[in-house]
Amino acid sequence: MIRFWLFCLVLLSCLAACSTRAPDLSTFSGIATRVHDGDSIHVTPEGQGRIVIRLAGIDAPERQQRYGSDARDHLASMILNQPVEVHCYKKDRYKRQLCIVFHDNTDINLAMVSAGLAWHYKKFQNEQTSTQRRQYSAAEQKARTEQRGLWHDTTPIAPWDYRS
């Protein structure tokens, strides 16, 4: 009998660990007060301190990389000093909130990929909904095909390769 209950406990633990339910989201609005680079910003909700945000699902060139300044400038042109709504679901290892950022109902993360100034970060695509995965992948493929932004280069260096 003890073996049966132990088996049930292990089975329930495995099912809980393997759950595919969507993560809990934290949604808030604020002003995009700083654009650090093509995928990191600061948002300041009214009456609160700044919150450091990492745009989820994308990876933009580092500031020192080719197209790094272009990515930062493009992101700034879309949202700097503008109201944004952010949908966050966890913190990264640097304690930044991982979020999808919206301005005027536009998914800014997706807009960066569409502009050819960020990669769809496939390493973390399991954290996206299936719709987001399809949209971000299609946007990257279209930007590549049309040679937009960093895809103008024949062999752009992905940020994760540049960092390592």
Side-chain angles (χ1 to χ4, degrees):
M1 188 65 161
I2 292 174
R3 284 186 182 169
F4 171 76
W5 289 113
L6 184 59
F7 171 77
C8 290
L9 181 62
V10 170
L11 181 62
L12 287 173
S13 297
C14 287
L15 289 174
C18 296
S19 173
T20 58
R21 78 175 180 85
D24 294 332
L25 295 177
S26 169
T27 301
F28 60 91
S29 298
I31 302 295
T33 52
R34 180 174 180 217
V35 174
H36 179 72
D37 59 23
D39 55 29
S40 299
I41 65 172
H42 293 177
V43 173
T44 306
E46 187 173 337
Q48 297 180 32
R50 71 179 164 93
I51 299 171
V52 182
I53 304 291
R54 169 70 162 79
L55 277 65
I58 72 171
D59 203 4
E62 297 296 325
R63 287 190 301 179
Q64 306 83 354
Q65 268 186 279
R66 186 159 186 209
Y67 297 101
S69 294
D70 294 334
R72 181 186 172 281
D73 293 347
H74 184 71
L75 182 57
S77 75
M78 290 190 292
I79 64 168
L80 186 59
N81 298 318
Q82 298 296 315
V84 293
E85 182 175 286
V86 294
H87 300 252
C88 307
Y89 61 93
K90 76 175 196 179
K91 289 186 179 181
D92 69 7
R93 63 182 173 168
Y94 303 109
K95 307 294 184 212
R96 299 175 295 186
Q97 292 284 337
L98 284 171
C99 311
I100 299 175
V101 178
F102 293 90
H103 173 62
D104 287 338
N105 295 317
T106 298
D107 178 340
I108 297 301
N109 308 29
L110 180 59
M112 289 296 291
V113 175
S114 295
L117 293 168
W119 277 257
H120 174 214
Y121 207 172
K122 296 200 176 17
K123 179 178 178 180
F124 297 103
Q125 68 182 346
N126 63 326
E127 297 177 356
Q128 295 178 301
T129 66
S130 58
T131 300
Q132 289 169 332
R133 278 193 299 275
R134 281 192 307 275
Q135 289 174 331
Y136 284 51
S137 284
E140 181 180 308
Q141 188 56 50
K142 186 172 183 183
R144 282 178 185 246
T145 301
E146 296 176 1
Q147 297 183 329
R148 282 191 238 140
L150 60 92
W151 302 114
H152 187 70
D153 280 359
T154 54
T155 56
I157 298 170
W160 53 88
D161 291 332
Y162 178 83
R163 289 188 294 265
S164 64

